[in-house]
Amino acid sequence: MASVSSFAAYDGARESVSSRENRAIDLALPVRKPPNIDDVSYRDKLAKPGPRRLLACDGGGIRGLISIEVLACIESELRRSSGNPKLVLADYFDYVAGTSTGAIIATLIALGYSTDEIRDFYLRSGAEMFHKARLWERFRTKFESDKLSEMLRGVIGEDTTFGSDKLRTLLMMVLRNATTDSPWPLSNNPAAKYNDVTHPGCNLKLPLWQLVRASTAAPTYFPPEVIHVDHDFIFVDGGVTMYNNPAFQLFLMATSEPYRLRWPTGEEKMLLISVGTGASANANSNLSPEEMNLIYNAGTIPSALMAAALHEQDFLCRILGKCLAGDLLDSEIGTVIGQGIPNVPKLFTYARYNAELSREGLDALGLKHINPLHVQQMDSVDHIGEMQEVGRTLAQQKVKSEHFAGFPVAS
């Protein structure tokens, strides 16, 4: 566990729910520009020696605040261990990935924002992010897109492109191209096939805010995003692909030959940290076959497939990586910590931080006073304070300094 002084500094960064509610929201005012943001570029990370550090952030709507509190704890621990009180996660990680709300968080990390600033963005903007669409528009989506787009342009920059040197780490995000009916994991790796700057459809030339907006366009929640590449494509939330948890896809994009980065593998050469937004299996012991009609299936099958995909990404990382942290996957295989494939060396070191948001899971964290229904919904903006409490408690119990000891901050 990180030192008491480290967690004290981390806890001191909290904002009370009452102060948040009383604060006026000014969407025209972006989060403060991080210091020295122009001094370091993601391109500098390409040539740096030493082990590689990867960070993956799950999707999950406003539950991204759970992830932010875990990330705040990680940042606090890295500041303590490095002796640098101004360290931000972009100083430590080389490659950051996210899907949906995780794409927002990953992008702000890559731009050099501190976790205090990212938290502040969510607290200022959370309610606006899920601003109800006008009544006659709700047959398509629950929430307006204009508010979210405005916020993203403000905090990312209207003219910031995916290839901008303002990004201090490599960045990957997942979108779903509804036009081609395929997942689109995009990276700013300059060597990637569709990042050739001489090509008219070069991904690096696309507006960064718009890519993030596309990754967050959850069907039924927000309208789709149309982006012109060679021609117009319609994009929706990357969370409705196999990669709502993008951790294993991030590993593949960092190491495998088709993605043209080819970073070396090995448990001492690569660290992969995966941060979730909470899991909430829709178990129902009283379910009867008669209830499983068309309406029931339409409402449950998408979430069931997403949950299975999230589980599989985590399982692959635990089997192929040296897993240091992660809760029970299921009653048959347990946590898989210390296990793998016989005679197959571990390809990276791995830690997974996620909370089970069921009644049993919250009780295990010592959060018996929190109603699971308050923290399970992706748009539960009235219970932001409880989500933060889940994230802080998870971090205090699960994040340990030894998870990062083999990959110290470069001096």
Side-chain angles (χ1 to χ4, degrees):
M1 185 72 71
S3 68
V4 173
S5 60
S6 171
F7 280 121
Y10 159 60
D11 288 345
R14 303 176 192 172
E15 179 181 18
S16 70
V17 175
S18 59
S19 66
R20 169 173 52 81
E21 291 173 342
N22 292 330
R23 186 193 304 172
I25 296 175
D26 182 2
L27 295 179
L29 179 65
V31 177
R32 176 181 60 82
K33 181 181 178 181
N36 303 320
I37 194 168
D38 296 320
D39 295 346
V40 179
S41 164
Y42 71 94
R43 298 176 189 273
D44 298 316
K45 297 285 181 81
L46 294 171
K48 86 172 189 65
R52 298 294 183 173
R53 308 177 187 96
L54 282 56
L55 172 66
C57 302
D58 287 14
I62 199 63
R63 287 188 350 222
L65 275 161
I66 296 174
S67 301
I68 290 169
E69 296 302 335
V70 173
L71 292 166
C73 179
I74 293 172
E75 185 181 76
S76 178
E77 170 56 32
L78 294 174
R79 287 177 174 182
R80 183 200 65 79
S81 64
S82 68
N84 177 7
K86 295 183 178 181
L87 178 144
V88 294
L89 294 176
D91 297 324
Y92 183 76
F93 290 102
D94 303 305
Y95 203 163
V96 182
T99 302
S100 193
T101 198
I104 299 176
I105 296 169
T107 297
L108 297 184
I109 289 172
L111 284 169
Y113 289 111
S114 69
T115 55
D116 281 349
E117 291 168 317
I118 298 171
R119 179 197 292 114
D120 185 65
F121 173 72
Y122 268 73
L123 293 177
R124 284 191 301 115
S125 310
E128 293 295 319
M129 193 180 302
F130 292 95
H131 192 274
K132 295 286 186 182
R134 289 178 287 270
L135 183 62
W136 57 87
E137 295 176 337
R138 290 184 194 172
F139 75 95
R140 292 182 62 233
T141 59
K142 291 176 64 176
F143 305 109
E144 290 183 0
S145 64
D146 290 349
K147 296 286 186 181
L148 179 58
S149 297
E150 183 181 355
M151 289 187 307
L152 294 175
R153 284 195 296 267
V155 75
I156 293 171
E158 179 101 32
D159 301 322
T160 303
T161 64
F162 196 33
S164 171
D165 283 335
K166 293 179 182 178
L167 290 164
R168 295 171 61 177
T169 73
L170 285 166
L171 175 64
M172 185 269 274
M173 67 185 74
V174 182
L175 299 69
R176 178 179 177 269
N177 189 327
T179 304
T180 62
D181 193 22
S182 60
W184 273 34
L186 299 181
S187 165
N188 63 343
N189 169 20
K193 180 177 181 179
Y194 293 108
N195 287 351
D196 182 351
V197 294
T198 65
H199 192 280
C202 173
N203 290 336
L204 297 181
K205 298 178 182 179
L206 298 174
L208 179 56
W209 74 265
Q210 195 174 25
L211 293 176
V212 176
R213 166 67 183 83
S215 184
T216 62
T220 75
Y221 283 88
F222 294 104
E225 184 75 11
V226 178
I227 300 179
H228 186 82
V229 188
D230 281 328
H231 58 278
D232 287 348
F233 289 104
I234 301 172
F235 289 95
V236 296
D237 195 325
V240 293
T241 69
M242 282 287 293
Y243 313 118
N244 192 52
N245 170 359
F248 192 67
Q249 180 65 19
L250 173 61
F251 164 72
L252 293 176
M253 293 183 77
T255 60
S256 64
E257 291 182 345
Y259 291 111
R260 304 183 180 183
L261 195 55
R262 304 182 184 93
W263 282 351
T265 62
E267 64 180 75
E268 297 178 352
K269 296 179 180 180
M270 180 169 287
L271 173 67
L272 174 55
I273 299 295
S274 176
V275 182
T277 61
S280 54
N282 190 25
N284 183 0
S285 59
N286 297 317
L287 179 67
S288 68
E290 290 75 21
E291 294 178 75
M292 300 183 67
N293 52 34
L294 288 174
I295 296 175
Y296 173 88
N297 289 329
T300 60
I301 288 177
S303 60
L305 292 174
M306 289 171 64
L310 184 148
H311 179 283
E312 186 70 5
Q313 292 278 315
D314 187 17
F315 177 62
L316 288 170
C317 288
R318 297 193 197 196
I319 286 291
L320 297 177
K322 177 185 177 182
C323 185
L324 302 180
D327 287 341
L328 188 78
L329 285 172
D330 64 45
S331 60
E332 178 178 7
I333 62 176
T335 65
V336 194
I337 294 175
Q339 297 179 294
I341 301 173
N343 303 317
V344 175
K346 295 295 187 179
L347 299 175
F348 51 93
T349 294
Y350 175 70
R352 169 72 170 172
Y353 308 120
N354 201 24
E356 172 57 55
L357 302 179
S358 64
R359 177 73 276 157
E360 294 78 8
L362 293 172
D363 288 351
L365 288 172
L367 300 174
K368 296 183 179 181
H369 59 286
I370 291 182
N371 184 338
L373 296 178
H374 291 177
V375 294
Q376 290 177 350
Q377 302 304 313
M378 293 196 302
D379 58 348
S380 188
V381 294
D382 293 332
H383 302 285
I384 282 176
E386 291 169 86
M387 293 183 188
Q388 289 184 275
E389 186 176 0
V390 172
R392 287 193 297 265
T393 303
L394 171 67
Q396 290 168 344
Q397 294 185 19
K398 304 298 182 180
V399 177
K400 299 183 179 181
S401 58
E402 52 261 36
H403 299 168
F404 304 89
F407 299 84
V409 179
S411 57

